[in-house]
Amino acid sequence: MAKNLEKTYDPKQFEKRIYKGWEEKGCFKAYRDPDKTPYTIVMPPPNITGQLHMGHALDHTIQDVLIRWKRMSGFSTLWLPGSDHASIATEVKVVNKLKDEGIDKDDIGREEFLKHAWAWKDEYGGRITQQCRELGDSCDWDRERFTMDEQCSKAVKTFFINLYKKGLIYKGNRLINWCPDCGSVLSDIEVEHEDEQGSYWYFRYPGADGGEGIEIATSRPETIFGDEAVAVHPSDERYKDIVGKKVIIPLLNKEIPVIADEYPDPEKGSGAVKITPAHDMNDFEVGLRHDLPTPSCINPDGTMNELAGKYAGMDRYECRKAFVKDLEEAGYLVKVEQLTIPTGRCYRCGTAVEPMLSDQWFVKMKPLADPAIDIVKDGTIQFVPERFSKTYMHWMENIRDWCISRQLWWGHRIPAYYCEECGEMVVDFDQPESCPKCGGTHFHQDEDVLDTWFSSALWTFSTLGWPDMTEDLKYFHPTDVLVTGYDIIFFWVARMIFTAIDAMDEEAFKYVYVHGLVRDAQGRKMSKSLGNGIDPLDVIDQYGADALRFMLITGISPGNDMRFQYERVEAARNFANKLWNASRFVIMNLQDENGEMLPLADLEGAALKDEDKWMIARVNEATKNVTRDMDRFELGMGGQKVHDVIWNEYCDWYIELVKSRLYGEDEEDKKVARAVLVSVLKDLLRLLHPYMPFITEEIWQFLPGTEGTFLIAEPWPVYDEGKTYEEESAVIEKAMEVIKAIRNIRAEAEASPGRKLTAVIQAEGAAAETIEAGQTYVKNLANITDIKITASDDDVPAEVMSAVITEAEVHVPLDELVDFEAELERLTKEKKKLEGEVKRAKGMLSNEKFVSKAPAEKVQEEKDKLANYEDMLAKVIDRLAIVESKLK
RNA sequence: GGGCGCAUAGCUCAGCUGGGAGAGCACCUGCCUUACAAGCAGGGGGUCAUAGGUUCGAGUCCUAUAGCGUCCACCA
């Protein structure tokens, strides 16, 4: 029984099996091989709350292509996987789950809550890494890390303490972004700014002296309870006299001063701004300049506090409504204007962020940013594509201090301890024995945890053992390339860069490969709320992981978004199918009817035919180009080239060219043909493997000489300058030209491909020789029984259909009915086309500037082309005359 | 208000350092030819956003314009 691939390509039959085989045999494992060069990629850790989505699929495909290519190229590769504890996201999930069970987070307390959170992590945290396996991720699962595992936590604490000791982490009372829904502070980049429809309310604040007072405009009336002044621009003539006087906040009867400050824009609103230092960033600054108090009127949960008097306890928006109504009834509302106002929203839950005054921990960024700017500026770290370095620079150069504390429980707790006796704060790895100030022995730890991004910022080195100088850390760090979407350059990439400089005194990675977003077929962002997300696992189920991967990677150019289209997945699947069938054909021809393997020639010194050399040259060329594309991170281009050489050259031509030999009688030559078929196929599989790992590995296992090997561990092909085979390739390419010409004639004359024909080819000199050398191919592939190659017109029968090709003319005598009308039409078209070409070439050559300034070889090239076209044109005109006479 | 990106065939997009416009899908014609109809052989279809400029030569480089997208920014 012959052993061969299944008749139809069905990736489900083998993808899981292949992956298991790799994993069990340790194919993904990284080793510290002193004789090899390390190549390291750390996987952006997906959130444990997450499911695998198209973004991951793209991100991981890129990384896997790179790591597989480098592995095959002889590097000691490490692709390190892991996951992120996702502080806020996870806490929200766990809180909701508990709520469903009727449990309130605050009732059970911190310890108990964390038990639930860890249980949740144990249950769902592995889900996404399991899904990665279906994609084919060849990462070293033995080194899988988690941002809250023991080692990473140690790194986080150490890094925090180091920065604190350097004075780069401080605790401060500042105006921060507060999410009332999450109940936590957010960093600046966690706030999304949007313009929204809103109102300006104009209110009159009467003068304390009984005067007219002043009219202010505000979009946030509920903050009036925190007003401490009204500001006007010093140059504003309208308010010149009132500056320094007091006005009364209506209904509250609180007196506040009118102050002059550069901040108000006289053009905007009434030109007078109420100042609420505790609930607005700008007002806060004004308050500082004028030494104003900073009372808060809003609680952390978004309700009003006692400052709001009778509105206390109301939600801030409810209060707004009620307060405006009361003010209106009391006659203080002057007018309302509709316009768009900028609003900040929490990037997690979408709640409107409230600026609040609060004690929080910050990282002082300027000293960390400076070297992080230099390391990109001097090219130690390069962005691909380059333009993203501008985005990075701009952000780094204007960076503000990073708020790192969060009022949550799930995360790394801040290692700061407060003495119960005197309140002294100690920042240390463990709780201190006694207070350095008063000797007290009772402490409580800071309640806050760190921003999730604080731990992922350490990812390149915390995962390798830092702060311990482990062998892994020494060998694999710095990492080589970081692959990620442009949406997290600020959140993550930028921060990894400065942490590595601080902790390791070196670059975190050499390249940042930035990819775009996978959008839906209409170009919209895939999102849960739109319900337009496409589950990669569904696609894999339907088309296979190889098809998905190939579609994702060939559809992109670095940094640009892509659209997800099923038609393209299908096209990729069809390509896999094509390769599958071609391989099945090859394997079939390697064995006799009993399934016994037939002998193969040793290719060293074998008598290669022209088509063998041509094919070998084609693969060789592809090897060169694909490798170069990979080197430049042009992964999509590389994939396209492998696709083209497999389909357009190996399948379309080489297999067809070689068939007659396989079915022929020359046993020695059969051995050669088989050997080349296999050898070339193997090289093609190697080139394709990073892109389509499953199908290539599956086919590999069926080929002779692969026993006990894995394609994943095979060497990457190397370009061989000695294998360009130009002469032999010319024969094949000329034969192809002739074959196409004959097929064309056949099609025009509507003669079936099965009909036997003869051909007369007019050519001279070298061209005649080349055609002569390739005539067997023509006979086989164009179904021609006899070919006559001649220079003379006399040998051409009177009734023929012809096609003019480079340096030759192909004639097919047709005894059967011939459509001379069609022939006339075809030749007329041909003539027109050639005339155009002649005109173009003549035009260029008659341009003196071109002839004198363009490189000599370019000029010569044009001259040759012109001669050739003129020659072809003359022949076409001759044929036309003959056909025309036939028609009379 | 700044930064960046996009515009190429009906659709989705490639075209890297300037040298005769490409792919997939869709469409039309003919083929179930012994690996493959998830296929084979052909075909139609583009003033490469507009206007200038550099150059012997521009889809490619420069400038400007309006359009779309996106990020950043404390405008009540």
Side-chain angles (χ1 to χ4, degrees):
Chain A
M1 191 53 195
K3 178 177 169 253
N4 202 339
L5 299 167
E6 293 292 327
K7 178 114 177 125
T8 49
Y9 166 63
D10 180 8
K12 266 195 220 142
Q13 299 300 314
F14 58 86
E15 288 192 348
K16 284 207 169 71
R17 185 188 77 233
I18 294 271
Y19 193 89
K20 212 170 146 221
W22 285 330
E23 203 172 359
E24 282 172 3
K25 294 286 178 190
C27 293
F28 309 148
K29 280 183 73 68
Y31 298 97
R32 294 185 306 269
D33 184 338
D35 297 329
K36 287 186 176 180
T37 310
Y39 186 86
T40 312
I41 298 179
V42 289
M43 177 189 291
N47 292 352
I48 52 168
T49 55
Q51 296 262 30
L52 192 79
H53 57 63
M54 269 312 158
H56 296 123
L58 171 62
D59 193 59
H60 289 206
T61 298
I62 293 166
Q63 292 171 67
D64 198 43
V65 167
L66 288 170
I67 211 83
R68 284 178 188 268
W69 166 55
K70 285 291 181 181
R71 188 184 291 121
M72 292 175 82
S73 301
F75 289 79
S76 187
T77 51
L78 166 61
W79 185 15
L80 191 145
S83 50
D84 192 292
H85 66 281
S87 189
I88 295 187
T90 307
E91 182 143 335
V92 167
K93 290 245 178 192
V94 176
V95 165
N96 286 340
K97 182 174 175 267
L98 290 175
K99 209 180 271 169
D100 289 344
E101 295 166 15
I103 303 170
D104 187 301
K105 167 185 161 182
D106 290 311
D107 290 345
I108 58 172
R110 187 172 197 134
E111 297 264 314
E112 192 61 23
F113 176 82
L114 287 177
K115 275 185 203 159
H116 282 102
W118 277 106
W120 195 92
K121 188 258 171 190
D122 290 340
E123 190 172 347
Y124 299 107
R127 184 175 48 187
I128 199 157
T129 50
Q130 208 52 45
Q131 293 169 333
C132 290
R133 288 169 162 89
E134 296 210 23
L135 270 178
D137 287 6
S138 65
C139 41
D140 187 349
W141 293 109
D142 292 346
R143 293 172 197 258
E144 184 175 350
R145 308 307 299 267
F146 176 54
T147 47
M148 270 172 75
D149 65 24
E150 203 182 315
Q151 185 59 46
C152 289
S153 299
K154 184 175 164 190
V156 166
K157 262 195 202 177
T158 308
F159 191 73
F160 182 97
I161 292 162
N162 287 355
L163 283 194
Y164 180 79
K165 284 183 179 155
K166 290 182 199 174
L168 295 178
I169 281 183
Y170 64 92
K171 196 176 180 181
N173 189 257
R174 291 194 173 189
L175 205 59
I176 45 79
N177 308 293
W178 183 266
C179 175
D181 197 56
C182 298
S184 176
V185 63
L186 301 171
S187 66
D188 293 339
I189 52 174
E190 286 170 313
V191 179
E192 286 177 348
H193 297 275
E194 271 174 75
D195 278 346
E196 291 175 11
Q197 220 31 249
S199 311
Y200 265 20
W201 286 273
Y202 287 73
F203 298 114
R204 171 154 301 280
Y205 284 14
D209 55 3
E212 200 173 303
I214 198 162
E215 190 180 311
I216 58 100
T218 179
S219 62
R220 303 206 53 203
E222 70 277 15
T223 62
I224 285 176
F225 306 103
D227 281 4
E228 284 301 330
V230 171
V232 297
H233 198 271
S235 68
D236 198 329
E237 293 294 327
R238 292 172 294 179
Y239 302 118
K240 217 171 175 180
D241 295 336
I242 198 170
V243 171
K245 292 187 178 165
K246 299 218 162 172
V247 291
I248 295 171
I249 303 177
L251 301 186
L252 302 188
N253 298 320
K254 177 177 169 185
E255 283 189 12
I256 53 173
V258 177
I259 58 177
D261 192 276
E262 299 287 327
Y263 164 62
D265 177 357
E267 302 295 310
K268 242 178 135 61
S270 66
V273 188
K274 70 183 204 59
I275 299 299
T276 321
H279 293 293
D280 183 280
M281 299 290 175
N282 293 305
D283 293 7
F284 183 72
E285 298 293 323
V286 176
L288 283 181
R289 289 197 283 272
H290 297 269
D291 204 21
L292 299 174
T294 54
S296 265
C297 58
I298 300 174
N299 291 314
D301 64 356
T303 61
M304 305 305 296
N305 70 12
E306 66 287 348
L307 256 189
K310 71 170 192 176
Y311 309 96
M314 285 175 108
D315 176 79
R316 50 188 170 153
Y317 295 113
E318 263 178 74
C319 165
R320 175 188 293 180
K321 240 191 246 167
F323 189 40
V324 167
K325 191 164 165 258
D326 291 347
L327 283 166
E328 186 178 6
E329 282 168 4
Y332 294 104
L333 179 65
V334 180
K335 61 173 173 174
V336 185
E337 231 173 56
Q338 297 298 316
L339 39 88
T340 58
I341 50 170
T343 310
R345 292 188 174 276
C346 171
Y347 85 131
R348 281 273 160 222
C349 67
T351 306
V353 163
E354 189 63 50
M356 297 265 225
L357 202 55
S358 168
D359 273 335
Q360 300 293 343
W361 292 87
F362 295 88
V363 176
K364 195 173 175 185
M365 285 306 304
K366 188 79 171 67
L368 293 165
D370 286 341
I373 289 168
D374 294 341
I375 206 167
V376 172
K377 222 175 236 170
D378 69 18
T380 308
I381 294 177
Q382 277 178 266
F383 280 81
V384 179
E386 228 293 298
R387 64 185 144 90
F388 286 104
S389 64
K390 273 189 206 154
T391 313
Y392 169 86
M393 285 298 181
H394 184 259
W395 190 70
M396 272 296 186
E397 279 162 3
N398 297 289
I399 199 154
R400 300 196 300 164
D401 287 357
W402 175 18
C403 179
I404 50 169
S405 45
R406 296 290 182 274
Q407 287 63 52
L408 300 165
W409 287 346
W410 177 244
H412 300 97
R413 197 163 173 180
I414 290 175
Y417 302 86
Y418 303 93
C419 172
E420 308 249 325
E421 322 291 328
C422 68
E424 174 74 359
M425 181 178 82
V426 180
V427 170
D428 206 347
F429 211 84
D430 297 303
Q431 182 167 319
E433 300 278 321
S434 62
C435 174
K437 196 172 171 190
C438 72
T441 52
H442 293 285
F443 291 87
H444 64 269
Q445 187 173 358
D446 197 296
E447 295 295 326
D448 291 352
V449 299
L450 289 163
D451 183 2
T452 284
W453 298 102
F454 190 88
S455 56
S456 42
L458 317 180
W459 195 240
T460 66
F461 51 89
S462 66
T463 53
L464 291 170
W466 190 89
D468 303 315
M469 243 319 143
T470 61
E471 291 303 311
D472 268 3
L473 189 58
K474 280 187 232 165
Y475 188 79
F476 290 114
H477 203 276
T479 69
D480 289 86
V481 55
L482 183 92
V483 178
T484 191
Y486 57 69
D487 49 337
I488 55 173
I489 290 179
F490 302 146
F491 282 107
W492 193 44
V493 179
R495 287 163 176 172
M496 279 194 290
I497 291 176
F498 69 71
T499 58
I501 296 172
D502 188 80
M504 298 289 296
D505 197 26
E506 64 186 16
E507 69 276 17
F509 26 73
K510 301 177 183 84
Y511 294 95
V512 183
Y513 177 103
V514 183
H515 63 251
L517 270 36
V518 185
R519 297 171 174 277
D520 75 359
Q522 281 84 49
R524 298 172 305 181
K525 224 166 170 169
M526 287 189 188
S527 75
K528 269 187 201 143
S529 52
L530 272 175
N532 63 342
I534 295 166
D535 186 345
L537 298 178
D538 288 346
V539 179
I540 290 172
D541 191 55
Q542 211 179 337
Y543 297 95
D546 285 330
L548 174 63
R549 291 168 59 114
F550 200 75
M551 174 272 178
L552 287 171
I553 206 140
T554 50
I556 55 163
S557 55
N560 290 341
D561 290 352
M562 72 172 305
R563 296 187 194 206
F564 187 95
Q565 296 184 105
Y566 275 105
E567 298 81 54
R568 293 193 47 245
V569 187
E570 215 166 291
R573 191 271 319 266
N574 293 354
F575 169 53
N577 184 55
K578 184 76 183 176
L579 173 65
W580 184 267
N581 283 306
S583 303
R584 204 158 56 82
F585 169 82
V586 171
I587 295 162
M588 189 177 77
N589 282 287
L590 295 177
Q591 43 199 308
D592 63 19
E593 54 274 20
N594 301 317
E596 293 300 319
M597 289 308 285
L598 295 164
L600 302 179
D602 180 356
L603 285 181
E604 286 297 314
L608 297 174
K609 299 274 194 210
D610 289 345
E611 71 265 34
D612 299 330
K613 292 190 174 173
W614 170 77
M615 189 64 236
I616 289 166
R618 298 318 301 151
V619 181
N620 192 38
E621 173 82 7
T623 298
K624 180 169 94 177
N625 293 333
V626 172
T627 307
R628 192 197 54 210
D629 288 341
M630 297 277 222
D631 264 324
R632 295 176 180 175
F633 293 101
E634 292 280 1
L635 307 182
M637 253 194 237
Q640 190 61 47
K641 280 174 189 148
V642 186
H643 167 278
D644 290 349
V645 66
I646 288 177
W647 198 319
N648 303 339
E649 287 167 340
Y650 189 70
C651 293
D652 286 354
W653 287 101
Y654 185 66
I655 286 183
E656 296 305 325
L657 286 164
V658 95
K659 271 180 184 172
S660 63
R661 291 160 68 197
L662 291 175
Y663 305 144
E665 299 300 319
D666 184 341
E667 290 304 322
E668 281 310 305
D669 184 48
K670 277 183 175 178
K671 288 186 202 167
V672 174
R674 285 195 290 261
V676 177
L677 268 178
V678 172
S679 153
V680 168
L681 180 56
K682 281 184 178 175
D683 275 350
L684 293 173
L685 291 175
R686 288 175 215 263
L687 291 176
L688 185 61
H689 182 260
Y691 297 96
M692 293 188 148
F694 293 109
I695 185 178
T696 50
E697 184 74 79
E698 174 71 358
I699 294 170
W700 180 264
Q701 299 298 334
F702 278 86
L703 298 179
T706 63
E707 296 76 12
T709 69
F710 280 100
L711 177 55
I712 187 177
E714 283 290 305
W716 183 253
V718 176
Y719 175 67
D720 182 345
E721 281 183 25
K723 288 186 178 163
T724 51
Y725 299 128
E726 276 139 31
E727 239 171 82
E728 294 88 341
S729 295
V731 170
I732 297 299
E733 265 145 35
K734 179 59 79 183
M736 287 177 176
E737 219 182 334
V738 174
I739 291 163
K740 283 185 194 164
I742 292 172
R743 283 176 180 168
N744 228 325
I745 290 171
R746 227 185 251 278
E748 292 288 340
E750 294 186 357
S752 83
R755 180 196 261 162
K756 304 268 184 214
L757 302 172
T758 63
V760 176
I761 299 169
Q762 274 184 290
E764 293 178 87
E769 280 173 36
T770 308
I771 292 167
E772 171 100 40
Q775 60 172 314
T776 317
Y777 306 112
V778 177
K779 285 180 182 169
N780 290 335
L781 266 61
N783 202 11
I784 298 291
T785 52
D786 188 60
I787 294 178
K788 174 181 270 185
I789 297 163
T790 176
S792 157
D793 281 339
D794 300 339
D795 294 324
V796 181
E799 296 193 1
V800 293
M801 279 181 79
S802 311
V804 177
I805 62 173
T806 314
E807 295 181 354
E809 198 172 358
V810 180
H811 310 281
V812 179
L814 290 177
D815 307 332
E816 311 297 321
L817 287 171
V818 177
D819 187 348
F820 280 101
E821 296 282 353
E823 175 72 348
L824 178 69
E825 199 183 317
R826 197 179 61 77
L827 284 170
T828 309
K829 253 190 191 161
E830 183 91 24
K831 181 175 165 234
K832 208 175 149 195
K833 190 180 150 202
L834 285 169
E835 281 168 348
E837 294 291 359
V838 168
K839 193 178 162 203
R840 188 194 60 81
K842 274 189 175 164
M844 273 181 95
L845 288 166
S846 65
N847 181 346
E848 274 178 40
K849 288 177 174 175
F850 171 72
V851 178
S852 58
K853 296 201 178 178
E857 52 191 287
K858 271 285 157 198
V859 177
Q860 188 55 44
E861 202 177 296
E862 282 306 319
K863 282 184 182 166
D864 293 345
K865 281 181 192 170
L866 177 60
N868 185 33
Y869 288 135
E870 281 178 329
D871 183 47
M872 286 168 82
L873 182 59
K875 283 173 182 159
V876 166
I877 290 169
D878 284 352
R879 296 312 316 164
L880 260 176
I882 293 169
V883 171
E884 274 166 354
S885 73
K886 284 283 161 197
L887 279 168
K888 279 167 193 167

